[in-house]
Amino acid sequence: RRPCFRVCYICGREFGSQSISIHEPQCLEKWRIENNQLPRHLRRAEPRKPEVLTGGSCTLAAENEAAYHSAQAQLLPCGNCGRTFLPDRLIVHQKSCQ
């Protein structure tokens, strides 16, 4: 049986139930620093922790799915090919995208 992991709503990576509370503030601070270094037209609104209003045993799965979708919403599509990237990687990709 796989241990219960929680998904970070900022980066989409999985963490244990104890380490997620340590990771999220650090991840959000890193996100803020990286977002402020981007050109104004690529800056994004700060991600918010999703609220899940379900009860019962499906709570963890619902929370993880909402957090995953929140992390995916941070990605920006390429104007040429439509693939999605983090803003700093989108700049690099666009240099070689045909």
Side-chain angles (χ1 to χ4, degrees), residues 26-82:
Q26 294 173 347
C27 190
L28 186 58
E29 185 59 32
K30 180 182 175 191
W31 183 92
R32 287 177 181 147
I33 291 168
E34 290 175 354
N35 195 49
N36 288 335
Q37 292 175 347
L38 293 172
R40 283 209 181 273
H41 71 282
L42 291 178
R43 290 186 188 169
R44 303 159 288 163
E46 188 169 300
R48 293 181 180 223
K49 191 166 189 164
E51 296 292 326
V52 179
L53 301 175
T54 59
S57 62
C58 295
T59 304
L60 179 61
E63 286 176 5
N64 281 345
E65 187 170 339
Y68 175 77
H69 289 298
S70 174
Q72 292 300 306
Q74 296 297 313
L75 302 177
L76 299 173
C78 172
N80 296 329
C81 67

Side-chain angles (χ1 to χ4, degrees), residues 2 5 7 11 14 16-17 36 42 53 74 77 79 97:
R2 186 171 184 238
F5 288 103
V7 176
C11 67
E14 291 183 335
S17 59
N36 288 335
L42 291 178
L53 301 175
Q74 296 297 313
C97 185

